[in-house]
Amino acid sequence: MTTDACKLTIAQAQHLLRSRELSATELTRACLDRISAVEPRLNAFITICHEQALAQARDAERRLAQGDAPALCGIPLAIKDIYATRGVRTTCASKILENFVPPYDATVIARLRAEGAVFLGKANLDEFAMGSSTENSAFGPTRNPCDLQRVAGGSSGGSAAAVAADECLGALGTDTGGSIREPAAFCGVVGIKPTYSRVSRFGIIAYASSLDQVGPFAKTVRDAAILLRSLAGADPADSTCSTRPVPDYERALNGEVKGLRIGVPKEYFVEGMQPEVEGAVRAALRHYESMGATTVEVSLPHTDYAIAAYYLIATAEASANLERYDGIRYGLRVEADNLTDLYRRSRGRGFGAEVKRRIMLGTFALSTGYYDAYYLKAQKVRTLIKRDFDQAFARCDLIVTPTAPTTAFRLGEKMSDPLQMYLSDIFTISVNLAGLPGMALPCGYDRQGMPIGLQLIGPAFGEETVLRAGDAYERSGAVTRRPTVV
Ligand code: GLN
């Protein structure tokens, strides 16, 4: 039992911990043993916190023994290495922050800590969350636990792979243009990006502030609902965070989709899409119909412009956010005779190629004379994309699409062609531009056995509908999760 404990869902573990059939230490040890066994092949973690995790588990055990057990007490999690963790190195997968140890916790980390969650370590990602494959990490790529020659997706590839490989029971990621949903789809797990502003971002290293959002990875939709409830809610330290009350998401999971109107955007079944992906998504839609939902074709006519708008807005905001890494306040400093050279050398040595590309693109888009033509125009397109969704949601309760046009690609396959890499986000980025909640969950496998992800998109603050529909699908047994190869 205990060696397999890492395979438990959070809901199962909660039950066993509370009934004292399993101790928090046994559970944490099972995860740490699993991590030791598979990490040499996966590289899902940048930092592993053996000692701290066991200490947290002992504390959790005491609380459980006293009957003081909040939802995540004793639950071992992986944390994307973009969250500030007090006393634990936080690199953002960049050389520039290689030795940065934050003196404080991100708000969500503090909340989980207060609940008694156990932090197993910091998960790998694309440097500064820029990428779709985790190949842009300064600490080497994460491999897909379903096929070690393939990418885990990105930018939260380490978090997704860690959950898929049962190194942890759940994980935290961030999603600016698809970074939770695409790796969840590639690794065959559940990942939800909540509505923009649903979760505090205080203490999360900023990439593109008008798009970034925090969210969980899990083995089941129910677990994602449990995690999200602990993460969401107002934060005085983040003025962009909503004060709307947080529903009990788990309670919304009643298995019912009867009468649910599902919108299917015609623009999301594009040429060049892997036929098995389209097949699996269409089969899932039929499955929903058999459970009593209805489907209706909707149109999101500005979809074609989403990638261009996103890569202008995200890079513009990134170029401003990344100005702070100047060799003075944080991280790497390469000494020089004068200040300009110090900046130049520190940033030149500290940032990887993709980050430099984004900073250059963003600086160009914001520069005098180009601002109106690029950044301002992109903002206008963003408004049109948001309006498309508003119009679609007048006719449906939920939108269902593929998460990515293909299953996980091979390591190295898209590294020399940034545009091809950017196109992996074609179905996810509009959701960020519109600020909506989106969830990926497994809906099948391709002929090579690689997982295919379904994407459920809700209206703003429609997380309950998204989770309820995802859970109903999962519970109906439409897809069974297959074991990984590690
Ligand atoms: N792949 C997208 C990008 O590179 C999205 C990344 C993300 O969501 N952080 O910007």
Side-chain angles (χ1 to χ4, degrees), residues 163-177:
V163 172
D166 295 314
E167 291 178 284
C168 55
L169 272 64
L172 298 192
T174 57
D175 190 314
T176 305

Side-chain angles (χ1 to χ4, degrees), residues 70-410:
L72 298 175
C73 193
I75 303 295
L77 304 173
I79 310 295
K80 185 179 186 180
D81 204 14
I82 196 169
Y83 289 73
T85 41
R86 181 169 27 94
V88 174
R89 170 171 94 127
T90 298
T91 69
C92 224
S94 181
K95 285 244 172 296
I96 214 156
L97 288 177
E98 192 168 3
N99 300 310
F100 173 58
V101 179
Y104 70 104
D105 276 331
T107 295
V108 291
I109 295 296
R111 274 191 200 157
L112 298 185
R113 207 189 281 287
E115 280 204 20
V118 172
F119 303 139
L120 295 164
K122 306 296 294 285
N124 203 0
L125 66 152
D126 285 296
E127 184 178 3
F128 285 103
M130 296 174 185
S132 307
S133 68
T134 313
E135 291 168 294
N136 295 331
S137 168
F139 299 88
T142 295
R143 289 168 185 271
N144 192 310
C146 303
D147 177 349
L148 297 172
Q149 300 315 312
R150 291 176 192 259
V151 300
S155 66
S156 318
S159 302
V163 172
D166 295 314
E167 291 178 284
C168 55
L169 272 64
L172 298 192
T174 57
D175 190 314
T176 305
S179 276
I180 290 175
R181 291 159 288 156
E182 187 243 23
F186 280 11
C187 294
V189 296
V190 176
I192 181 165
K193 178 203 93 75
T195 307
Y196 184 78
S197 83
R198 182 66 289 187
V199 183
S200 164
R201 302 177 300 171
F202 176 75
I204 286 137
I205 294 171
Y207 163 14
S209 306
S210 77
L211 299 158
D212 296 343
Q213 191 49 219
V214 162
F217 286 91
K219 296 174 196 182
T220 64
V221 175
R222 178 169 300 270
D223 284 6
I226 294 170
L227 286 165
L228 184 58
R229 188 176 183 208
S230 294
L231 296 172
D235 176 13
D238 177 359
S239 62
T240 67
C241 186
S242 170
T243 54
R244 250 172 117 106
V246 180
D248 180 346
Y249 294 117
E250 203 184 350
R251 251 233 193 106
L253 311 181
N254 62 6
E256 272 299 324
V257 293
K258 208 162 280 156
L260 188 77
R261 296 169 306 159
I262 296 179
V264 185
K266 60 172 191 247
E267 292 83 1
Y268 278 50
F269 292 87
V270 292
E271 227 173 283
M273 184 152 110
Q274 191 176 327
E276 294 151 298
V277 171
E278 171 158 5
V281 172
R282 297 234 184 252
L285 288 166
R286 286 195 297 276
H287 192 80
Y288 271 117
E289 284 173 342
S290 77
M291 292 194 293
T294 55
T295 56
V296 51
E297 187 178 89
V298 294
S299 176
L300 301 170
H302 296 92
T303 299
D304 272 357
Y305 306 102
I307 296 229
Y310 170 86
Y311 277 97
L312 285 166
I313 294 168
T315 58
E317 295 181 9
S319 73
N321 274 328
L322 271 57
E323 267 171 23
R324 72 192 72 177
Y325 306 105
D326 55 6
I328 306 291
R329 281 177 297 172
Y330 308 95
L332 181 80
R333 175 182 305 177
V334 185
E335 296 294 346
D337 298 338
N338 60 68
L339 190 61
T340 310
D341 280 348
L342 186 147
Y343 290 156
R344 195 175 285 149
R345 287 195 201 163
S346 301
R347 288 169 69 87
R349 188 125 11 118
F351 289 136
E354 183 62 27
V355 174
K356 288 178 185 162
R357 182 182 356 255
R358 305 273 178 118
I359 292 172
M360 285 190 279
L361 277 169
T363 307
F364 181 80
L366 288 177
S367 51
T368 323
Y370 294 108
Y371 180 91
D372 288 2
Y374 293 112
Y375 188 70
L376 198 66
K377 186 87 159 264
Q379 291 290 19
K380 290 181 177 165
V381 172
R382 180 175 189 172
T383 303
L384 295 174
I385 288 172
K386 188 174 173 313
R387 209 172 287 162
D388 284 354
F389 278 104
D390 291 343
Q391 279 159 7
F393 279 119
R395 300 182 53 220
C396 62
D397 309 305
L398 181 77
I399 292 177
V400 173
T401 75
T403 302
T406 65
T407 55
F409 43 88
R410 290 182 185 285

